[in-house]
């Protein structure tokens, strides 16, 4: 950023200020009088929307102590933040930092996320970086999402032609390997009161490691900072000095609020430090965290996920130098105590009607009810009143889901075992015909399957962590082990030191698991990210993101019908072994 005679930087990250934005720029008094009035520009930013057209539920539907999210409310909030006058609206740019689509709820996913793109059109989005989930269905599908047209297999499922995104996806660091050219434009510009603002859009360089190989076939991904610096030079050669990076990579705080930057860490720190000083703002994402930081003189923000926040970024641009004089930001909660946007409501109702035949489609059959009731509970001690305390055990439905996840990844990813978190199983399946809606109700979170390498020692650590976090994972039929009900539960500070799992009892496909051997294991992306306290999974190597867990479940029900409740014999206790 420059002012006459020198380079100046005045970006305030608001790390210690909850919801108050301010900037501080020093001018010589005579300069202040002589310089023309700066151009005020407002950026409204979101990230990681993941097709949440309807208000997300549970913990995914709250933030900062408030219920939040839902496209009808997001559109209303964006309209409010743009202001009432044409002057304010003309000086506002709405942007996003990737993962608008992918890992979406049924209402959007059933139509290949076309409803979400149409909603973003209604909401006035202008530029978005690609994220890793934009590549879930491959480059050709992403280009269709941008340009429009019916799906090559499913056609125009809602009965209307899909016109594509009115906003521009940007992919500066995602190249077509054969030509070396970006898959989509690397940057875009917008002119406000004669001053151009440049927007460079990128996904994380590690996208190939977290998306299926089919999704990134024919593509190469480059370093984020090097790419940003390259296009910043190109923009400056075109007399663009105000430069914003939309980056689908981020970081996380350690206990801070939605406008803090407390104990901040993550890949974005190194990336921001390596970016050229000419880059003024980084709108980030991917980690689903909210933060508001100043890193190496750059304003770095994130609006959490699922449309629960909007980041308002206020810029002042120098009319002479065309550069940013100051920048500040504030994360605003998308509350549900405002009127719903009528156009968004109409769009959602349209797709709900179209979804009817999809939701009612029979995808399988069961020989009897398959429930999530947890049985074979393990006694782990006594409480203060002398009553026994128990740890959760297996469930028939949980075991079935683990089997389905293994079946979806055993050939393609060479997985030998799968594990499912109990909290992800949300409903039972009755006897008889199973509809798509039934299956979706069981697994509504649209988590992706992630297959990764774990050593035998890490597998034992993961099983010990079950008792530390009081959640026993549901294992695929290839897995068997013994629990010592008299063993010790590891403390949170040393989660792998417990003695609940009998050493030497863990087998996969009948063969004993050894500490130094490597095993290919499938979990969902919630667990692979350390969800429910299974931190050891974060260290898994060679992670590959696959299909949505629901898709794997539906495919298994269809292939194996009629499906019977699996036996609850994958975990035994020392007492059971002794009795046998």
């Amino acid at each position: 950023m420059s002012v006459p005679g020198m380079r100046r930087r005045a970006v305030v990250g608001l790390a210690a200020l909850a919801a108050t934005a301010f900037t501080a720029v020093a001018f010589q008094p005579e300069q202040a009088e002589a310089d023309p009035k700066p151009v005020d520009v407002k950026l409204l930013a979101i990230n990681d929307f993941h097709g949440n057209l309807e208000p997300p539920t549970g913990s995914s539907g709250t933030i900062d102590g408030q219920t939040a999210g839902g496209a009808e409310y997001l559109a209303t909030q964006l309209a409010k933040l743009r202001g009432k006058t044409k002057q304010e609206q003309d000086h506002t740019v709405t942007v996003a930092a990737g993962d608008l689509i992918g890992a979406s709820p049924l209402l959007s996913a059933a139509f290949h996320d076309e409803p979400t793109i149409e909603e973003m059109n209604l909401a006035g989005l202008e530029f978005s970086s690609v994220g890793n989930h934009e590549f879930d269905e491959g480059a050709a599908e992403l280009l269709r999402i941008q340009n429009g047209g019916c799906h090559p297999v499913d056609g125009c499922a809602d009965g209307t032609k899909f016109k594509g995104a009115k906003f521009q996806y940007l992919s500066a660091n995602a190249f077509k390997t054969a030509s070396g050219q970006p898959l989509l434009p690397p940057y875009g510009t917008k002119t406000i009161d004669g001053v151009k603002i440049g927007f460079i859009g990128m996904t994380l360089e590690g996208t190939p490691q977290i998306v299926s190989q089919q999704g990134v076939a024919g593509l190469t991904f480059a370093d984020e900072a090097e790419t940003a610096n390259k296009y910043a030079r190109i923009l400056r050669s075109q007399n663009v000095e105000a430069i914003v990076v939309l980056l689908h990579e981020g970081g996380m705080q350690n206990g801070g609020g939605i406008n803090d930057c407390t104990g901040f860490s993550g890949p974005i720190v190194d990336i921001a430090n390596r970016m050229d000083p000419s880059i003024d703002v980084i709108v980030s994402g991917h980690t689903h965290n909210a933060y508001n930081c100043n890193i190496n003189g750059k304003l770095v923000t994130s609006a959490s996920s699922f449309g629960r926040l909007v980041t308002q970024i206020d810029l002042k641009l120098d009319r002479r130098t065309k550069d940013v004089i100051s920048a500040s930001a504030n994360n605003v909660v998308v509350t549900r105590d405002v009127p719903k946007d009528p156009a968004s409501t109409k769009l959602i109702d349209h797709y709900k009607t179209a979804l009817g035949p999809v939701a009612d489609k029979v995808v399988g059959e069961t020989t009897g009810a398959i429930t999530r009731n947890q049985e074979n509970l393990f006694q782990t001690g006594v409480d203060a009143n002398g009553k026994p305390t128990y740890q959760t055990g297996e469930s028939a439905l949980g075991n079935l889901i683990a089997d389905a996840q293994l079946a979806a990844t055993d050939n393609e990813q060479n997985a030998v075992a799968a594990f499912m978190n109990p909290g992800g199983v949300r409903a039972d399946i009755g006897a008889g015909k199973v509809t798509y809606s039934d299956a979706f109700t069981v697994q509504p979170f649209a988590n992706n399957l992630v297959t990764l390498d774990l050593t035998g020692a890490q597998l034992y650590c993961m099983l010990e962590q079950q008792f530390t976090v009081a959640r026993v994972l549901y294992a695929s039929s290839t897995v068997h082990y013994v629990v010592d009900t008299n063993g010790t539960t590891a403390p949170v500070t040393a989660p792998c030191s417990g003695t609940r799992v009998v050493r030497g009892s863990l087998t996969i496909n009948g063969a004993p698991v050894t500490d130094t051997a490597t095993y290919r294991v499938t979990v969902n992306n919630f667990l692979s990210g350390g969800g429910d306290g299974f931190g050891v999974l974060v260290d898994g190597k060679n992670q590959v993101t696959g299909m949505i867990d629901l898709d794997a479940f539906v495919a298994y029900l269809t292939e194996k019908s009629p499906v019977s409740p699996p036996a609850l014999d994958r975990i035994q206790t020392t007492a059971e072994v002794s009795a046998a």
Side-chain angles (χ1 to χ4, degrees), residues 473-545:
L473 299 171
Y474 303 134
S476 60
S477 62
T478 53
V479 176
H480 292 86
Y481 62 94
V482 178
V483 171
D484 185 352
T485 54
N486 294 315
T488 58
T489 298
V492 174
T493 54
C496 297
S497 62
T499 61
R500 290 287 179 189
V501 180
V502 176
R503 296 293 295 188
S505 70
L506 176 60
T507 63
I508 293 180
N509 286 320
V513 169
T514 60
D515 282 356
T516 56
T518 298
Y519 302 88
R520 201 89 176 119
V521 176
T522 296
V523 293
N524 59 40
N525 63 286
F526 170 74
L527 286 173
S528 69
D532 276 348
F534 289 94
V536 68
L537 291 173
V538 177
D539 298 324
K541 304 299 184 184
N542 299 317
Q543 296 193 16
V544 174
T545 301

Side-chain angles (χ1 to χ4, degrees), residues 164-186:
K166 292 181 180 178
F167 61 91
Q168 182 62 61
Y169 266 122
L170 305 173
S171 70
N173 69 333
F175 297 90
K176 291 180 281 189
T177 306
S179 66
Q181 296 299 309
L183 178 67
L184 289 157

Side-chain angles (χ1 to χ4, degrees), residues 126 140 147 154 163 287 376 397 409 429 458:
E126 296 181 60
N147 300 319
D154 296 332
K163 297 181 180 179
T287 61
N376 296 343
L397 187 51
T409 54
I429 290 182
Q458 288 175 313

Side-chain angles (χ1 to χ4, degrees), residues 450-487:
V450 177
T451 306
L452 44 81
D453 289 344
L454 294 176
T455 65
Q458 288 175 313
L459 275 170
Y460 271 105
C461 174
M462 180 190 75
L463 297 180
E464 290 294 347
Q465 286 182 344
Q466 297 177 115
F467 298 94
T468 302
V469 302
R471 291 178 179 86
V472 170
L473 299 171
Y474 303 134
S476 60
S477 62
T478 53
V479 176
H480 292 86
Y481 62 94
V482 178
V483 171
D484 185 352
T485 54
N486 294 315

